[in-house]
Amino acid sequence: MNTPERYTITAALPYTNGPIHIGHLAGVYVPADIYARYLRLTNNDVAFICGSDEHGVPITIKAKKEGVTPQDIVDKYHAIIKKSFEDFGISFDNYSRTSAEVHHETASQFFKTLYDKGKFIEETNEQLYDAEANQFLADRFVTGTCPKCGNPEAYGDQCEKCGSSLNATDLINPKSAITGNTPSLKQTKHWFLPLEQYEDFLKEWILKTHKKDWKSNVYGQVKSWIDDGLRPRAVTRDLDWGIPVPVEGAEGKVLYVWFDAPIGYISSTKEWAARVGKDWGLYWKDKNTKLVHFIGKDNIVFHCIIFPAMLKAEGSFILPDNVPANEFLNLEGQKLSTSKNWAVWLPDYLEDFPNQQDVLRYALTANAPETKDNDFTWKDFQARNNSELVAIFGNFINRVVVLTHKFYEGLVPAPSEYSDLDKETIAAVKAYPAVISSSIERYRFREGSQELMNLARLGNKYLADEEPWKLVKTDEARTKTIMFVALQIAAALAVLCEPFLPFTAAKLKGILVIDSTDSSQTSGKFRSTENQWNAVATKDVLLASGHLIGQAELLFSKIEDEAIEQQIDKLLASKKANEAEKMTETSTVEPQKETITFEDFAKLDMRVGTIIEAEKMHKANKLLVLKVDTGIDVRTIVSGIAESFTPEEIIGKRVTVLVNLSPRALRGVESQGMILMTEDAQGKLVFVNPDDKGVANGLKIS
């Protein structure tokens, strides 16, 4: 494969309804930053692009709840997110926002181009509508049961439990997120991208061309989607927040957020190019540009099917060379949840652990969810810092610098003849750039971080084996050679650690008094005429004899148990608050229903019964099929209690049964009655049943 002339790297646009947390960092932004910094260090032309995603339903919902405008919401969180990224050292060349004028113009023109080419299908169909709110319910204005996995809290665009992409009309038992009402169907006109027309293209481009070089988790999800058959996807929505659809007859409609958001990469690149005086088109339309999307697994379908189909339909854009999506990061054994505050928020981390950005970067990279979901724990974070960054990396650098000042007043000594061990060590150091490069270029950042730490281990072992602090008393010439070699290892670490530990690299370069510029902001220009990364592999001397280095300072500090306990206590407080809130919600007494007469009540025929058989209904997560002895007969009742009880634990259970309810077919099984239930404060179903001895089946309840 030819070496690209330039790289366009995109990181998923963060949604501006909350701050950044560690799941976002591990899934997208840290690996993307490692890749961008590495490419700059190897003297490549890089455009690292991102921006805030500011349209869509969740923002309007949050604005309604807080009694402010959507613009207020996005302005607030755009500022928070942008500052967090800057403080954490994510080295975007441009961080834009989809409310920017350049984005509105770019997205509108993109839609208009496809519209003029006849790439859309215009259809009038039925969409979910909330009569009380007097509006159509797009995407996350609807919740319901996922038809694929049975998750009762799926959204109208996606199930976050199984990752399936959905349409709102796919949901079982849909509810309006605005009023809680069951929506009706009402006709509306929309424009659709006929994805099925791009199946052959996607099969050839992904399933054949990228079978060997894309991550298996990405390839597998895309293949599953294509094998299942693609269907038209609406690219417009009935909303008043977003980019207006730029054609006649589309009043009151905006571009679907997942149509407009990926175009944000293009508009952000335009913004950057205009600022630095470059041609944005080269970064999106030239075949010698390598385009790479960094995303989380919940965005795979949009970046690997929908956006490529859009680019293909437009016709002038390049396609992504790779989409190295990560899986999810859990927190202390539980799924991250922003709504339940079960997260480690980046602004909080930066405040609680000042000047320790690299510790979190390293912990997240060393435990990155690259091919499967992984778990972040504060104890592991502490161990990574204390046992690796402090005890291995920091310890080696400190010993080298302290000894250089102790023996030679900070001057790099002149070596004499190299021993076999010296030669082996220098050869090993020179091999590390290629080893780490291989990991990074294959998007194995976790592997790369451990190879970096192995280089620090090599330095520690070299010093431990040679013991210059002892040898200096008997063999001054040999000691100088040892220290010279050790200082070359330190200089190599200063360069090679930068993609993973940029703040550490800057500090270490300051200590060693070498080029302290980093690879964060290049404005589209090469960092220098020298390929610093490869210099580690090709140069025999990185720190010349006679060079004066600075005084020692700690690169990393030990993190004490107390600091970790405070973070764990913070999470436990969130868990207790969630439990208390849930208890309050579930224990709230519902208001009395409309008053009825005794004659109305007398119509209900409730009997005592016993469950004599129970089994799960096929392909229904909530339903159990029961055989109930009501005293007057044995009948079948289908009950939605499978998530609270196993079939085995309820056989023999005494229950209260409404026996004169009209029969109802559920998934082909006729249910002949209803069992009376209630819920406790934790939301668990409880039988309303007569447990006293001597109460026979069939007795009427009055």
Side-chain angles (χ1 to χ4, degrees):
M1 179 179 174
N2 294 331
T3 302
E5 291 183 13
R6 67 195 66 80
Y7 290 80
T8 300
I9 304 167
T10 72
L13 307 187
Y15 206 54
T16 46
N17 64 344
I20 295 295
H21 58 60
I22 58 169
H24 302 131
L25 294 173
V28 178
Y29 304 108
V30 170
D33 191 60
I34 291 171
Y35 190 65
R37 286 178 178 273
Y38 160 74
L39 289 174
R40 296 191 193 107
L41 277 170
T42 50
N43 214 29
N44 286 287
D45 184 3
V46 175
F48 184 20
I49 301 299
C50 194
S52 294
D53 182 1
E54 300 181 328
H55 298 135
V57 172
I59 286 168
T60 62
I61 292 176
K62 193 174 188 74
K64 285 178 182 289
K65 287 182 178 178
E66 296 187 12
V68 297
T69 67
Q71 191 66 52
D72 291 332
I73 295 293
V74 300
D75 286 347
K76 172 184 175 181
Y77 287 110
H78 171 74
I80 291 172
I81 291 169
K82 189 171 187 291
K83 185 176 189 305
S84 293
F85 280 144
E86 290 170 353
D87 292 346
F88 195 61
I90 302 298
S91 61
F92 297 124
D93 287 302
N94 200 65
Y95 189 82
S96 188
R97 55 193 307 190
T98 60
S99 63
E101 184 178 352
V102 64
H103 177 69
H104 276 240
E105 292 173 352
T106 303
S108 295
Q109 184 57 53
F110 198 105
F111 181 92
K112 195 68 166 56
T113 299
L114 267 59
Y115 178 84
D116 291 341
K117 286 186 172 185
K119 299 295 184 180
F120 295 130
I121 298 172
E122 184 178 317
E123 288 186 0
T124 298
N125 59 13
E126 291 184 324
Q127 297 286 326
L128 296 178
Y129 182 80
D130 187 329
E132 183 180 337
N134 191 29
Q135 72 176 75
F136 286 95
L137 301 176
D139 305 332
R140 302 212 166 192
F141 273 133
V142 191
T143 59
T145 300
C146 174
K148 298 187 178 181
C149 74
N151 171 27
E153 298 178 350
Y155 293 110
D157 63 342
Q158 189 174 45
C159 174
E160 295 190 344
K161 184 175 182 181
C162 69
S164 296
S165 182
L166 305 170
N167 290 309
T169 50
D170 296 334
L171 295 175
I172 301 168
N173 300 323
K175 297 288 183 184
S176 168
I178 304 172
T179 64
N181 295 337
T182 299
S184 59
L185 289 170
K186 185 176 179 179
Q187 285 197 335
T188 183
K189 180 172 68 176
H190 282 291
W191 286 263
F192 293 75
L193 183 65
L195 292 176
E196 70 280 4
Q197 295 181 13
Y198 300 89
E199 278 194 21
D200 290 342
F201 148 67
L202 291 167
K203 286 178 181 177
E204 178 66 29
W205 172 57
I206 298 176
L207 301 189
K208 289 185 180 180
T209 305
H210 290 295
K211 185 173 184 177
K212 294 183 178 180
D213 64 330
W214 279 25
K215 294 170 70 171
S216 59
N217 58 316
V218 178
Y219 184 90
Q221 190 176 136
V222 173
K223 186 177 187 302
S224 176
W225 257 75
I226 294 174
D227 289 347
D228 193 41
L230 300 179
R231 290 168 288 279
R233 186 82 179 187
V235 295
T236 58
R237 290 291 188 269
D238 290 292
L239 286 172
D240 57 3
W241 175 248
I243 299 174
V245 177
V247 296
E248 289 187 15
E251 293 74 19
K253 301 180 191 298
V254 298
L255 299 182
Y256 176 35
V257 66
W258 269 112
F259 182 90
D260 106 69
I263 298 172
Y265 301 138
I266 302 170
S267 60
S268 183
T269 307
K270 285 184 176 181
E271 191 175 75
W272 162 76
R275 187 178 73 246
V276 300
K278 297 181 76 71
D279 178 4
W280 75 268
L282 290 175
Y283 293 83
W284 279 95
K285 298 188 176 187
D286 189 280
K287 65 180 181 179
N288 293 315
T289 297
K290 182 174 180 177
L291 172 62
V292 181
H293 295 311
F294 283 88
I295 59 169
K297 72 175 179 181
D298 52 336
N299 290 341
I300 288 174
V301 64
F302 299 105
H303 286 76
C304 298
I305 292 180
I306 297 175
F307 190 40
M310 291 163 54
L311 296 175
K312 182 71 173 176
E314 199 278 345
S316 67
F317 287 84
I318 59 173
L319 298 170
D321 183 81
N322 213 312
V323 186
N326 275 357
E327 299 292 292
F328 289 151
L329 185 73
N330 297 322
L331 173 59
E332 298 287 353
Q334 296 183 35
K335 183 178 178 179
L336 279 160
S337 173
T338 57
S339 62
K340 296 178 180 178
N341 198 29
W342 189 257
V344 177
W345 303 101
L346 181 53
D348 291 347
Y349 175 86
L350 293 169
E351 182 177 341
D352 293 345
F353 294 90
N355 302 314
Q356 296 187 75
Q357 298 95 325
D358 282 352
V359 181
L360 183 58
R361 285 179 67 110
Y362 179 75
L364 294 176
T365 305
N367 194 35
E370 291 179 344
T371 56
K372 64 181 180 65
D373 291 357
N374 270 359
D375 192 39
F376 175 92
T377 69
W378 279 110
K379 288 294 185 183
D380 179 73
F381 166 84
Q382 181 186 27
R384 295 283 185 186
N385 179 77
N386 295 352
S387 301
E388 296 178 29
L389 293 176
V390 173
I392 298 172
F393 194 120
N395 179 59
F396 170 69
I397 296 299
N398 189 62
R399 292 163 86 186
V400 170
V401 175
V402 168
L403 290 175
T404 301
H405 276 275
K406 181 178 180 180
F407 297 162
Y408 314 114
E409 297 182 334
L411 291 172
V412 177
S416 55
E417 185 178 351
Y418 286 150
S419 69
D420 288 343
L421 178 61
D422 297 336
K423 294 174 183 178
E424 291 172 6
T425 301
I426 291 171
V429 172
K430 287 185 173 184
Y432 268 99
V435 170
I436 299 174
S437 289
S438 176
S439 296
I440 292 176
E441 289 173 5
R442 289 178 293 127
Y443 310 106
R444 297 182 179 181
F445 305 107
R446 182 172 59 195
E447 178 183 278
S449 71
Q450 296 313 293
E451 292 295 349
L452 174 70
M453 196 56 63
N454 285 339
L455 176 55
R457 288 188 176 95
L458 173 72
N460 272 318
K461 186 176 188 306
Y462 177 75
L463 283 182
D465 289 344
E466 295 299 288
E467 298 182 315
W469 47 88
K470 293 182 180 178
L471 199 60
V472 70
K473 300 173 184 177
T474 59
D475 193 338
E476 185 175 341
R478 177 64 191 148
T479 302
K480 287 181 178 179
T481 303
I482 294 168
M483 292 307 302
F484 180 84
V485 172
L487 283 159
Q488 306 313 306
I489 300 174
L493 281 168
V495 174
L496 300 183
C497 81
E498 185 178 325
F500 306 95
L501 308 169
F503 293 89
T504 302
K507 185 184 290 188
L508 180 50
K509 287 175 182 178
I511 294 171
L512 298 178
V513 193
I514 57 178
D515 177 16
S516 61
T517 60
D518 68 18
S519 61
S520 59
Q521 296 293 337
T522 62
S523 297
K525 298 177 182 178
F526 297 150
R527 187 179 153 205
S528 70
T529 56
E530 178 184 56
N531 188 319
Q532 296 194 23
W533 187 271
N534 286 347
V536 176
T538 58
K539 281 191 170 185
D540 292 327
V541 176
L542 298 174
L543 284 180
S545 299
H547 176 81
L548 180 64
I549 67 171
Q551 293 292 328
E553 57 179 301
L554 292 179
L555 293 180
F556 307 99
S557 301
K558 186 179 179 182
I559 295 176
E560 303 295 341
D561 291 345
E562 182 181 357
I564 298 302
E565 289 166 4
Q566 288 176 355
Q567 297 302 319
I568 294 174
D569 288 345
K570 190 185 296 187
L571 286 174
L572 291 176
S574 292
K575 181 182 285 188
K576 290 180 180 178
N578 291 330
E579 291 172 352
E581 182 179 353
K582 185 174 182 180
M583 185 173 295
T584 300
E585 290 174 352
T586 56
S587 63
T588 300
V589 178
E590 294 184 10
Q592 176 182 302
K593 293 184 178 180
E594 183 181 348
T595 301
I596 64 172
T597 65
F598 178 78
E599 287 73 18
D600 292 327
F601 172 74
K603 293 177 183 178
L604 302 177
D605 189 348
M606 292 181 287
R607 307 272 180 147
V608 176
T610 302
I611 298 173
I612 58 176
E613 293 181 21
E615 63 180 10
K616 285 189 174 181
M617 177 175 279
H618 184 58
K619 292 185 178 180
N621 292 339
K622 286 188 171 184
L623 302 179
L624 292 182
V625 180
L626 313 175
K627 292 288 186 182
V628 182
D629 180 355
T630 66
I632 54 177
D633 57 20
V634 174
R635 62 178 63 191
T636 298
I637 296 177
V638 180
S639 184
I641 61 175
E643 292 183 337
S644 296
F645 303 97
T646 64
E648 295 76 20
E649 68 181 302
I650 62 172
I651 293 176
K653 192 76 176 175
R654 307 296 300 285
V655 295
T656 302
V657 186
L658 179 62
V659 296
N660 65 333
L661 187 67
S662 296
R664 181 186 178 192
L666 294 171
R667 293 184 178 263
V669 178
E670 186 175 77
S671 182
Q672 301 167 315
M674 178 179 288
I675 294 175
L676 273 60
M677 309 290 297
T678 188
E679 287 186 355
D680 64 14
Q682 285 71 45
K684 180 177 171 58
L685 291 173
V686 178
F687 289 101
V688 178
N689 66 309
D691 282 329
D692 288 345
K693 293 181 180 180
V695 179
N697 290 347
L699 291 181
K700 293 182 88 173
I701 297 172
S702 59

